[in-house]
Amino acid sequence: MTLNNLNFFDPSLESCVHELLTASGNQNRIVLSVWNDMAASLLRSARSDLKFALLGKATAGQDRPRGIDIVDTVSPGDTLLANELDPEALSDILMGYIDAEDLTILAPRTAHYFQNRPLFLISIPKGGTHLLYRLAEAIGYKPAVVHHGEPHPGNWYCVEYSNSHTVARDFFVDTVRRAPFGNRHHPFPRTPTLFIYRNPLDIVVSEANYYHRDGATVFSAYLRNMTFEQRLLRLIDDPYLLGSIRDRINNFVPWLDCENVIPVSFEELMGAKGGGDDAVKNRLIWSLQMKLHIPGSPEQIGAHIFSESSPTFHEGRIGASREKMSDVAIGRFFGLNQDFMQMTGYADAHVDASNMERVWKQINTIPAKAELFRRRPLRVSKEDWRDTPFNVEWDFLGHNIARFNGRYYALPYRIGPVDLVHLRSRGKLGQLLSAHDLETLKAQIVTEEHIFKQLYRFIRARRQMS
């Protein structure tokens, strides 16, 4: 058990001192990560019974402050004060403690604090979607689900529409082809994203257990009159409708390479109640806390993401394929190109399926790439195209709709060409109808046009009467 804890304070000296006293009392040593104005002010104003130290690397190239111990590392039981106000520098400091044990970290709330940024969720069908939703909500994100151009901080959303099963090619190719400005304005590159993946062997078994149920899918009748084994074989390699399990997994593999995406495996998150390991789960959650600036302890967060009353407990335990897959099904599965198993880290490219007793020994319970993904820093794009006006929709009730300055603007035909950059420089953007999202602006246009038409009819009627 790691017994780690991460807390945040408002970026002020008073708030910092309050959190220090709450977290460390008079017993633990407080180690400062950075020597800056906050550190100097803290030492001047703090109580004399608090024990301070300073990381040696924090004073590189500077005069070392007097009267404070210089240490090389933090020790178990210490309280680390990550007193860095720059969001990216703070993230780099936190990532340095991704393997910490028995450590309390205090850090200021910055633009990277989880409540100050939205979150996107992506999941493979039957790959742990409910578990991913519970994780996001256990962290503290609210389920807003659908965004209309600008997702709000502190909420989680699907990348497109109301379905978290966003196929990478659909978004990066098809949507780009159809969207204005090459879809550059989409918030995805600038937004942290969690993507859950799972052993494809267990996914295909879960599909066979679920997809035929009446109402579960729109294509349930396609599989309903088959036995479990027939459904399983069809889903492993379906030449007619759904494609192979390789096709369906490879639809999502590109998300693994996006640096703003944090891949988390189903197997890491399940913990002991779902056939996994609580220590693995806690290490993963702690890494998410470091990347997303999430307060709390891994144990507290983990206790809220797995419930015996959830669908995950009854249908999504680890290793269902070991009990459910016949020799025929195993042979057909490993007869496929195994690039999808290798890319997700569950097996090598060549699994020897000739000896059924050895097959399962070649499958990784925890994907081989899990540690790589756990340690990979989160990086989001800084480019948001706010200063580039471009049309997103044409001829909506006599208006073009443009995106600029982080908002959507209605440009009525009757006023002629509009230079949004010039209007902003003159402080006159407020003269145009605008909104934070596209749907709200359209509602405003509908209302304005209705009022305009009513007023026009009233004036015309008065003229006819006079």
Side-chain angles (χ1 to χ4, degrees):
M1 188 173 293
T2 60
L3 299 177
N4 290 330
N5 198 62
L6 175 62
N7 289 319
F8 289 88
F9 56 88
D10 292 331
S12 68
L13 185 62
E14 294 75 16
S15 180
C16 177
V17 170
H18 174 76
E19 287 298 330
L20 278 175
L21 293 175
T22 302
S24 63
N26 299 332
Q27 306 301 319
N28 296 357
R29 182 176 65 172
I30 301 164
V31 181
L32 303 170
S33 65
V34 178
W35 182 249
N36 56 13
D37 290 342
M38 178 181 284
S41 298
L42 182 62
L43 289 181
R44 285 194 300 267
S45 61
R47 292 185 344 207
S48 58
D49 55 350
L50 292 177
K51 307 172 187 131
F52 285 96
L54 177 65
L55 287 175
K57 61 185 178 181
T59 63
Q62 304 177 35
D63 293 332
R64 292 194 173 194
R66 297 178 182 178
I68 184 171
D69 293 336
I70 307 298
V71 297
D72 294 327
T73 60
V74 294
S75 302
D78 283 343
T79 296
L80 174 70
L81 177 58
N83 54 310
E84 173 59 67
L85 298 178
D86 178 81
E88 293 188 10
L90 177 59
S91 291
D92 290 341
I93 290 172
L94 294 180
M95 284 299 293
Y97 297 93
I98 199 170
D99 295 319
E101 294 186 6
D102 193 16
L103 179 65
T104 294
I105 300 178
L106 296 180
R109 295 184 184 92
T110 68
H112 284 189
Y113 184 62
F114 84 104
Q115 284 290 292
N116 292 332
R117 298 199 283 189
L119 180 74
F120 282 128
L121 301 183
I122 302 172
S123 62
I124 302 172
K126 309 311 297 175
T129 302
H130 291 288
L131 191 64
L132 182 64
Y133 294 171
R134 291 183 67 87
L135 170 63
E137 291 164 26
I139 289 169
Y141 290 97
K142 295 179 181 178
V145 186
V146 179
H147 69 92
H148 298 287
E150 286 292 335
H152 296 280
N155 295 284
W156 71 256
Y157 298 86
C158 301
V159 176
E160 292 187 304
Y161 315 114
S162 60
N163 189 336
S164 62
H165 308 317
T166 310
V167 170
R169 185 183 294 107
D170 289 349
F171 179 66
F172 289 125
V173 179
D174 290 348
T175 299
V176 166
R177 177 174 55 83
R178 290 182 280 105
F181 202 54
N183 209 29
R184 292 178 183 88
H185 63 289
H186 195 284
F188 168 74
R190 303 179 295 280
T191 304
T193 302
L194 289 181
F195 166 53
I196 194 167
Y197 63 111
R198 183 185 183 188
N199 190 332
L201 285 159
D202 287 345
I203 286 179
V204 75
V205 166
S206 185
E207 290 176 336
N209 279 328
Y210 180 76
Y211 280 170
H212 67 293
R213 298 179 185 177
D214 188 23
T217 64
V218 295
F219 55 85
S220 59
Y222 177 64
L223 301 167
R224 189 171 303 141
N225 295 319
M226 299 180 183
T227 65
F228 172 82
E229 177 75 0
Q230 289 171 331
R231 293 195 302 273
L232 183 60
L233 294 175
R234 173 66 61 85
L235 288 163
I236 289 172
D237 190 13
D238 180 7
Y240 309 112
L241 178 64
L242 302 174
S244 68
I245 182 62
R246 172 181 178 262
D247 297 331
R248 297 194 294 280
I249 298 300
N250 280 343
N251 282 338
F252 294 87
V253 161
W255 295 119
L256 297 172
D257 292 328
C258 296
E259 60 185 1
N260 67 309
V261 172
I262 306 172
V264 296
S265 74
F266 177 91
E267 292 78 14
E268 292 171 278
L269 275 178
M270 284 300 282
K273 287 185 178 180
D277 186 322
D278 282 341
V280 171
K281 178 182 69 174
N282 290 338
R283 279 166 56 83
L284 174 64
I285 293 173
W286 181 247
S287 73
L288 298 180
Q289 292 182 252
M290 299 295 99
K291 296 173 184 180
L292 296 172
H293 296 205
I294 301 162
S297 71
E299 291 80 10
Q300 291 171 338
I301 295 171
H304 291 90
I305 66 172
F306 190 83
S307 168
E308 294 185 9
S309 63
S310 73
T312 299
F313 184 81
H314 297 288
E315 301 177 2
R317 295 170 67 84
I318 295 171
S321 54
R322 293 174 184 255
E323 302 172 0
K324 295 282 191 176
M325 292 192 78
S326 65
D327 290 356
V328 174
I330 287 291
R332 181 168 296 186
F333 184 95
F334 288 106
L336 301 172
N337 185 325
Q338 291 298 294
D339 55 354
F340 69 108
M341 290 291 281
Q342 183 181 30
M343 291 294 292
T344 52
Y346 287 96
D348 292 332
H350 303 288
V351 170
D352 181 6
S354 61
N355 186 326
M356 291 300 146
E357 294 182 3
R358 285 174 21 210
V359 164
W360 300 111
K361 295 179 181 179
Q362 301 170 72
I363 306 301
N364 298 318
T365 301
I366 301 297
K369 295 190 176 185
E371 188 65 7
L372 171 67
F373 295 141
R374 189 180 75 88
R375 293 181 175 279
R376 187 173 75 186
L378 173 69
R379 295 285 184 259
V380 299
S381 174
K382 298 178 183 178
E383 179 58 72
D384 63 5
W385 302 103
R386 287 177 179 268
D387 291 326
T388 305
F390 58 90
N391 274 8
V392 297
E393 191 162 328
W394 288 260
D395 195 20
F396 180 79
L397 297 180
H399 296 70
N400 287 338
I401 299 177
R403 181 179 169 85
F404 176 62
N405 209 42
R407 295 180 68 82
Y408 293 87
Y409 289 89
L411 312 178
Y413 292 165
R414 58 181 173 268
I415 67 174
V418 177
D419 185 338
L420 292 174
V421 175
H422 181 63
L423 285 181
R424 182 175 67 175
S425 69
R426 297 175 58 194
K428 294 187 176 182
L429 277 177
Q431 296 178 356
L432 297 172
L433 278 183
S434 71
H436 189 261
D437 64 77
L438 184 60
E439 297 307 312
T440 299
L441 179 58
K442 285 183 173 181
Q444 291 179 6
I445 293 172
V446 170
T447 301
E448 183 189 66
E449 286 300 299
H450 176 72
I451 294 173
F452 181 81
K453 288 178 181 178
Q454 292 292 96
L455 181 60
Y456 173 76
R457 289 170 183 160
F458 173 76
I459 293 172
R460 197 167 102 177
R462 288 292 299 267
R463 286 176 176 173
Q464 290 174 347
M465 292 172 61
S466 61

